Amino acid sequence: MALFGTDGIRGLANRDLTAELALDVAVAAAHILVESLGSTQQRPRAIVGQDSRASGEFLEAAIVAGLTSAGVDVYRVGVLPTPAIAFLVADSGADLGVMISASHNPMPDNGIKLFSRGGGKLDDVLEAAIEARMREPWERPTGRNVGRAINDDTATERYLKHLLASVETKLTGLKVVVDCANGAASHVAPVALRRAGAEVIAISDQPNGWNINENCGSTHVESLRAKVLETGADIGIAHDGDADRCLAIDGAGNDIDGDQILTILALGLKSRGQLKGNVVVGTVMSNLGFMEAMKQADIKVITTPVGDRYVLEKMIESDFSLGGEQSGHVILRQFANTGDGILTALQLLQAVKRSGKSAHDLASVMTRFPQVLINIKDVAKERLMESVAIRDAVRAAEAELGESGRVLLRTSGTEPLIRVMVEAPSDSVALGIAERLAEVVVQELG
């Protein structure tokens, strides 16, 4: 089974993702880096950051050891969002970025995300090369040729300045609740929003190593909704553990998902003549309501497989300015080459401020089709495409829905799951079809 998924390496920390594995990955990545620089005599440089998981501490130690032992200088930036690492790699001209995070996954998991020069995620070819060269024999540098590990105390402030440079309209007068998921957003999101002019109430902003994503953040918005209603806030912002996602709650307590945020941002960019190609890049999971809203606005939607890396690849390929996922990964290429939850929040709040409308009114431009998503664990997900019974069940569901909905079965690239997604004219129809399909999947692959 491949080591890298759609978003780096991920697994149960200290069982699937061990210190030994982290060290091996770091050494293999260093070898490829050193060779790519050739005989320039330039020592490779890497930026290493992490989210707030306790397991990140030993994984960081292993990665730093692997990189420096192979002759790479490492700049440790501590707990910062994943998009901060991407920015810092580009900003400093570093050769590699490493983010230790399992994003929205539960605390016991962790992961390793790698960024290439310029701050983009490594492509599949480089990931395969790293995996192929793990544990190969090598000649170890000695003396002055080993790498150094340096603590970079300027990183947080540089990232904050980058975020605030995207704000043209001050957020004065907006009352915002931000849920930091007890993760990487905890130390920067409230500061960024306050410096942008908003009145900020921060919740789940006290990480202790164990409480990341625990009943909080973008996967558990109940506490955020309650705080927005309790405080009379204009809007609530929810981040995930590594802060590359942004979801929202409007002042009336309604969800605003990634597709609705994309809709708001797309309409704003188009009105200012800044939506390149008059195109937004989405994924196969984009809600049909998003497709309809974009059609009504005469904006074309191009879809990719699920994963912000694939969205970004399409955006770079055709020089598009906006793309993202329903899950809250939004890429604004004017400012960043990766999904950035805090940047997205700032741009969403700017749209609210500029319009003079409520977040609810802006989001209501898109009507979400009822959508049910069932995650199926403990099945042989690698056999999904082989099952004739599952394929027949999907065809029958599609025939039943016709043009009034759709069905999507896919394996998760970040978790050991098969996801069953159904959109339909009503919640009851979507749920019924999704449950029937899930039952077939369990029977065939369980």
Side-chain angles (χ1 to χ4, degrees):
M1 188 171 68
L3 181 64
F4 288 87
T6 57
D7 202 14
I9 301 166
R10 202 172 292 190
L12 182 59
N14 217 28
R15 186 168 300 171
D16 303 320
L17 181 53
T18 62
E20 293 88 347
L21 176 61
L23 188 144
D24 288 341
V25 169
V27 168
H31 289 167
I32 291 173
L33 271 184
V34 170
E35 290 171 8
S36 70
L37 293 175
S39 58
T40 63
Q41 301 301 311
Q42 174 187 346
R43 193 198 298 276
R45 291 179 296 140
I47 308 289
V48 177
Q50 62 189 92
D51 68 21
S52 59
R53 295 165 212 261
S55 59
E57 296 163 5
F58 74 76
L59 290 172
E60 184 204 45
I63 288 167
V64 171
L67 290 173
T68 54
S69 70
V72 177
D73 284 342
V74 175
Y75 291 80
R76 293 181 294 215
V77 299
V79 175
L80 276 178
T82 291
I85 307 307
F87 162 74
L88 291 165
V89 169
D91 184 60
S92 64
D95 303 291
L96 176 71
V98 183
M99 178 64 183
I100 304 161
S101 174
S103 189
H104 62 284
N105 282 31
M107 177 275 294
D109 290 350
N110 217 324
I112 300 173
K113 303 180 184 184
L114 301 177
F115 294 89
S116 59
R117 295 187 193 99
K121 290 184 179 178
L122 289 194
D123 61 31
D124 295 338
V125 173
L126 275 176
E127 288 182 343
I130 289 171
E131 187 168 350
R133 297 187 59 177
M134 288 171 58
R135 291 175 292 279
E136 68 179 358
W138 56 295
E139 185 176 345
R140 299 170 185 269
T142 59
R144 293 179 180 272
N145 292 323
V146 300
R148 302 296 302 274
I150 302 106
N151 293 328
D152 185 352
D153 298 325
T154 70
T156 298
E157 190 60 32
R158 285 159 55 206
Y159 176 55
L160 281 166
K161 287 181 178 178
H162 157 68
L163 291 172
L164 293 166
S166 74
V167 179
E168 297 176 349
T169 303
K170 293 288 283 185
L171 307 181
T172 308
L174 285 182
K175 187 174 185 178
V176 182
V177 180
V178 58
D179 184 339
C180 302
N182 289 314
S186 299
H187 304 305
V188 289
V191 175
L193 295 174
R194 288 187 182 114
R195 289 190 188 177
E199 177 186 347
V200 179
I201 301 166
I203 64 174
S204 301
D205 61 334
Q206 300 295 320
N208 60 17
W210 316 114
N211 59 359
I212 187 171
N213 296 326
E214 185 177 9
N215 298 317
C216 60
S218 62
T219 52
H220 300 280
V221 297
E222 298 80 15
S223 296
L224 176 62
R225 180 180 292 110
K227 182 61 74 170
V228 167
L229 295 173
E230 173 196 329
T231 60
D234 297 295
I235 190 169
I237 298 295
H239 297 301
D240 60 337
D242 69 336
D244 62 356
R245 298 188 187 195
C246 172
L247 298 178
I249 300 291
D250 70 25
N254 301 300
D255 293 350
I256 300 177
D257 70 10
D259 285 337
Q260 289 170 302
I261 292 172
L262 273 177
T263 298
I264 293 168
L265 296 179
L267 294 176
L269 287 171
K270 181 174 182 178
S271 71
R272 297 190 298 278
Q274 297 174 350
L275 186 64
K276 290 187 176 181
N278 200 39
V279 165
V280 176
V281 181
T283 76
V284 293
M285 287 287 285
S286 297
N287 192 277
L288 285 174
F290 168 70
M291 302 294 190
E292 182 62 26
M294 293 296 94
K295 181 179 178 181
Q296 292 297 319
D298 196 28
I299 295 172
K300 183 179 180 181
V301 178
I302 295 176
T303 58
T304 73
V306 173
D308 62 333
R309 66 186 299 167
Y310 303 117
V311 173
L312 178 61
E313 284 174 5
K314 177 58 68 174
M315 292 174 71
I316 291 174
E317 175 186 309
S318 302
D319 194 28
F320 297 135
S321 51
L322 179 66
E325 300 184 281
Q326 186 184 72
S327 60
H329 287 127
V330 174
I331 302 172
L332 294 128
R333 281 200 64 225
Q334 179 182 353
F335 307 112
N337 270 340
T338 189
D340 188 325
I342 303 174
L343 175 65
T344 301
L346 289 168
Q347 297 306 305
L348 174 62
L349 294 171
Q350 261 200 144
V352 172
K353 184 68 177 178
R354 280 171 171 155
S355 70
K357 299 179 180 179
S358 69
H360 174 77
D361 287 343
L362 288 182
S364 66
V365 174
M366 175 191 146
T367 301
R368 271 185 306 212
F369 274 53
Q371 188 180 83
V372 170
L373 179 65
I374 297 178
N375 294 323
I376 307 171
K377 299 180 180 180
D378 302 321
V379 290
K381 72 174 190 176
E382 67 279 359
R383 290 172 40 217
L384 176 62
M385 303 306 294
E386 302 172 4
S387 171
V388 174
I390 293 174
R391 191 158 55 246
D392 289 345
V394 169
R395 286 174 179 163
E398 289 174 337
E400 179 180 344
L401 288 168
E403 295 184 0
S404 66
R406 63 181 180 136
V407 174
L408 179 65
L409 267 68
R410 69 178 187 89
T411 58
S412 170
T414 58
E415 299 177 78
L417 302 171
I418 289 176
R419 304 193 194 278
V420 178
M421 188 276 283
V422 177
E423 284 177 349
S426 70
D427 289 312
S428 60
V429 171
L431 180 60
I433 293 175
E435 287 179 338
R436 292 204 307 269
L437 290 173
E439 185 176 347
V440 174
V441 170
V442 171
Q443 289 174 351
E444 289 294 302
L445 306 181

